[in-house]
Each structure stands twice: as structure tokens, then as C-alpha cells.
Amino acid sequence: DFIKSFDDLHRYFIENAFLKILIYQPDTNKLKLPGKLADEIHVENDAANMVSFLDNIRDQNPEILDRIKSDLNDCLDDFKDIRFMKVKNNGAFDKKIGLIDKRGKIFWAEELSEGTLYFLALLSIIHQPNPPELLLLEEPEKGIHPRRIHEVMDFVFRMAEEKGIQIILTSHNTQLVDEFDDTPDSVFVFEMDNGETKIKNLLTDIVQPGNKRLEEKGLPKIYDTKLLGEKWFQGFLGGVPV
């Protein structure tokens, strides 16, 4: 369409910016299912087409699949390779996915943990051709064993930085919140106030003003950015149920 005014131009850029935003919430139940044989070059929002995507890039972009295998092994070193197998479904053929461990045993998708499947989906999202510039993840810690949250999320953040992807995530997990001890300015707290949702920056709207009020009263500072998850759980940072 012809752009007639500055408002049209502004709206055009906003609309195109939103086209680059994708919200991903991998559905681990769907990740366990066989995938259709299709030419998939992008991962869907719920990653339900992950099997088809990985099977397709094996032929068209083998270097991407090799990178996914390598990254999977770096973070979840129990597994060293990915395997596909045709399965018959109502007269047609689908494909199922499995991971091969160090001993050569294959664990098919229905046998894998939700956390392992979720991480494989995240790798597929990040390494897909033309990945999104802005990636929104809803509660990415779901299905990940508590002992693996730190290493998995650290790995995802490093991969996103390498790819130039900005990540916005929501979480109700104290361990994941702890990952932001050193970057409190990256954390925003959402809470209800008189029926409205208020958004506060953890550093500039909570920690710094809180310490200033204490200092004015001659009291020692109690707001810091260490053990953020515990402080949030105890209610010091807001964002608690009402």
C-alpha cells in the first residue's frame, strides 16, 4: 500500500516490527508425537512440528542439525546423537524422533523427559534459519529438572547472544529468577494495584528507592540483588499473589 503520511509510515514500521515477534511455548505433549513428513523450515509456536523441522534440515541444512546435536551434547552430555524412524499412521507414514545415549541406546520421544524435549525444542527455535529477532518464552523452566535450570538457561542465553536474539521471558520459578542476580535492571515485576497491572523495574523502581528510604531513616540497606528468587518468594520485591 502507498504510504501517504508520517502516521502511515509509523504504523507501517510498528506492524512490521510486530511481525518479527514470536511467542514460543513448546508443548511437551505434542513433542512426544510423531511428525508429519513435510518441508518445514521454521518451528511453530508450540514446536509441534519439531520432528518434521529437524528431519527436513537433516537433508537441506545438515550443518544446522550438526550444531543442534553438538549443543545438545554440550549441555545434556548423556546424549550424543539424534535418530529418526518412520512409523505408519492410518496408511501414511510419519516420523518419530529419538536420542542416542553414550552407550548407543535409543530413547524415543515418548521415553524422554519433558525437560530434554523442551531443551531440544529451544535449540531448534534458536538455530532455525532466520530466527526471530525477539523471542518471548513463557515459563521456560517448565519440565526442566531443578538441577539443570542454571546450565540450560545459561546455555540458551549464550546461544541467543550469539544469534543476536533478544529474549523476554516470564517465570514463577525462584531458581530462574536467581539467574538475574547480576543484571537486576533486566527484571520487571508485574503486580496488581487497584485492579490495574503495574510494571516496575527491579533495580530502578524497587531496589534503589527502597534503599534510599531506609538510608533517609538512618537504617541499614536490606535491598540487594543477591538471592533474588528467595527475596521475591518472601515478598520483598513485590509481584506476590493477593
Side-chain angles (χ1 to χ4, degrees), residues 145-161:
H145 192 283
R147 291 186 179 181
R148 288 200 183 273
I149 286 178
H150 172 74
E151 57 189 284
V152 169
M153 295 314 302
D154 180 64
F155 195 85
V156 170
F157 290 149
R158 284 192 286 113
M159 288 298 98
E161 184 176 3

Side-chain angles (χ1 to χ4, degrees), residues 7-228:
D7 287 340
D8 289 339
L9 182 64
H10 187 245
R11 184 168 57 253
Y12 170 81
F13 280 114
I14 290 177
E15 289 174 350
N16 277 272
F18 274 103
L19 289 176
K20 298 178 181 179
I21 298 175
L22 290 175
I23 301 175
Y24 285 95
Q25 190 174 24
D27 186 332
T28 51
N29 290 319
K30 293 180 180 179
L31 296 178
K32 296 179 181 181
L33 301 176
K36 302 292 183 184
L37 299 179
D39 292 333
E40 302 282 2
I41 59 172
H42 295 293
V43 182
E44 295 174 353
N45 299 65
D46 60 0
N49 68 331
M50 181 185 72
V51 178
S52 300
F53 166 76
L54 291 173
D55 183 52
N56 188 53
I57 64 169
R58 178 177 57 166
D59 299 323
Q60 296 192 18
N61 303 90
E63 69 282 357
I64 294 180
L65 185 61
D66 288 342
R67 178 62 189 274
I68 290 174
K69 290 179 183 179
S70 175
D71 290 345
L72 179 70
N73 180 254
D74 284 345
C75 198
L76 305 179
D77 59 4
D78 294 337
F79 301 106
K80 64 177 185 178
D81 204 356
I82 298 174
R83 180 66 55 86
F84 300 90
M85 183 176 73
K86 280 187 177 181
V87 291
K88 202 165 186 178
N89 182 17
N90 295 325
F93 283 100
D94 295 339
K95 280 198 175 180
K96 63 189 300 185
I97 194 170
L99 299 181
I100 303 176
D101 71 2
K102 296 176 180 178
R103 298 175 297 278
K105 182 178 179 181
I106 301 176
F107 292 85
W108 298 108
E110 64 271 18
E111 301 172 304
L112 294 169
S113 70
E114 290 186 355
T116 298
L117 288 170
Y118 192 98
F119 184 60
L120 183 58
L122 288 182
L123 287 178
S124 300
I125 292 166
I126 290 173
H127 287 305
Q128 64 183 314
N130 301 314
E133 296 178 9
L134 179 60
L135 177 60
L136 278 65
L137 296 173
E138 290 191 62
E139 300 184 338
E141 73 278 1
K142 278 187 174 180
I144 297 178
H145 192 283
R147 291 186 179 181
R148 288 200 183 273
I149 286 178
H150 172 74
E151 57 189 284
V152 169
M153 295 314 302
D154 180 64
F155 195 85
V156 170
F157 290 149
R158 284 192 286 113
M159 288 298 98
E161 184 176 3
E162 175 187 317
K163 296 282 186 176
I165 302 172
Q166 183 177 1
I167 292 181
I168 297 177
L169 60 86
T170 62
S171 177
H172 293 87
N173 184 279
T174 56
Q175 284 182 273
L176 195 145
V177 174
D178 282 339
E179 297 297 312
F180 295 88
D181 281 1
D182 296 326
T183 55
D185 55 322
S186 299
V187 179
F188 291 84
V189 179
F190 290 68
E191 58 184 353
M192 294 298 295
D193 183 10
N194 293 324
E196 295 183 0
T197 301
K198 301 292 185 180
I199 305 174
K200 297 180 180 179
N201 180 270
L202 178 60
L203 182 63
T204 60
D205 297 327
I206 298 175
V207 173
Q208 291 176 344
N211 282 330
K212 184 177 180 180
R213 288 192 297 270
L214 291 171
E215 187 177 7
E216 290 172 349
K217 295 179 180 179
L219 298 173
K221 298 178 181 180
I222 61 171
Y223 288 92
D224 59 46
T225 60
K226 299 303 178 186
L227 300 175
L228 282 181

